[in-house]
Amino acid sequence: MKKNYLFLLLSFLLVSSLQAQEEAATTVAKNQFKINMLFPGFVYEHGFTAKNTLYSEVSLGAGYRYNSYNNDGTFDIYPMINAQLRHYYNLEKRANKGKRTAHNSGNFLALSAYYNFESISTNDDYGYFVQSFTIAPVWGFQRTYKRKLNLEVHLGAGVNFDKFDTEIIPVANFTLGWVIGK
């Protein structure tokens, strides 16, 4: 009889611990800080529900412009702010397959807003890069590996507003960095 109670107690504890691990693995991190190395910058991501986060980034951006008159192009470097409302949609699927979900490692859909400041690199042949605001729906993925190396890619199409024009543009971002903290 004592063996049955012991077996029942151990089974209950095992199931409870597995369920707690499963729940923890399928929710986003409450607070996450990252440093971007490719385009220097800082990121803070705040989880406000089990699958939704507010992503805030301050970094340097890069863009390419083409001048048809000179038949040549130039790259611009500019400070930027990026804010996103993200929804991670495949955390359970990744966890069930035994893949990492720590540090928000998953795929997401987001509504992204970028503010690009004036360029800090200039080329008089191309005019100057003006401040702009872009809003875009994006799809992306983020992976954080064992040593907290973080890789993120997101793509979409958005509407860009500046003092001269409003246009539809492609939106793409690739970051490589480290998660700071736990």
Side-chain angles (χ1 to χ4, degrees):
M1 188 71 157
K2 287 184 180 182
K3 288 181 182 181
N4 288 340
Y5 286 125
L6 181 60
F7 177 74
L8 184 62
L9 179 64
L10 290 175
S11 298
F12 176 76
L13 291 174
L14 179 65
V15 169
S16 296
S17 68
L18 289 175
Q19 184 178 5
Q21 288 176 0
E22 184 178 315
E23 289 172 4
T26 59
T27 61
V28 296
K30 186 72 171 169
N31 296 298
Q32 178 170 278
F33 291 93
K34 296 188 298 186
I35 295 176
N36 290 341
M37 303 306 286
L38 194 57
F39 295 107
F42 299 98
V43 173
Y44 172 67
E45 191 169 3
H46 175 72
F48 57 89
T49 68
K51 295 181 182 180
N52 298 305
T53 65
L54 175 61
Y55 174 95
S56 306
E57 175 182 14
V58 175
S59 64
L60 291 178
Y64 179 79
R65 291 189 292 157
Y66 179 75
N67 184 332
S68 60
Y69 181 75
N70 292 340
N71 198 25
D72 197 12
T74 187
F75 282 96
D76 290 306
I77 298 173
Y78 47 88
M80 68 173 229
I81 297 172
N82 177 10
Q84 296 179 357
L85 288 173
R86 288 185 173 181
H87 174 73
Y88 288 87
Y89 63 86
N90 72 333
L91 296 176
E92 290 94 0
K93 185 177 177 182
R94 288 182 58 79
N96 290 339
K97 289 183 176 182
K99 296 182 179 180
R100 290 178 59 87
T101 59
H103 303 288
N104 304 345
S105 291
N107 298 3
F108 60 85
L109 296 171
L111 180 60
S112 186
Y114 292 90
Y115 185 79
N116 301 317
F117 294 90
E118 290 184 19
S119 177
I120 57 177
S121 63
T122 59
N123 186 336
D124 293 335
D125 292 340
Y126 297 91
Y128 60 96
F129 187 91
V130 296
Q131 298 175 9
S132 67
F133 175 75
T134 305
I135 189 161
V138 296
W139 170 87
F141 66 88
Q142 175 173 232
R143 301 294 185 264
T144 303
Y145 300 99
K146 287 189 178 188
R147 298 189 187 257
K148 296 188 181 179
L149 175 68
N150 181 270
L151 169 74
E152 180 186 323
V153 175
H154 65 260
L155 306 165
V159 180
N160 185 65
F161 305 93
D162 62 34
K163 69 180 182 178
F164 300 116
D165 202 6
T166 299
E167 58 191 345
I168 295 176
I169 62 168
V171 174
N173 191 28
F174 174 77
T175 61
L176 184 63
W178 278 273
V179 173
I180 301 172
K182 294 179 182 181

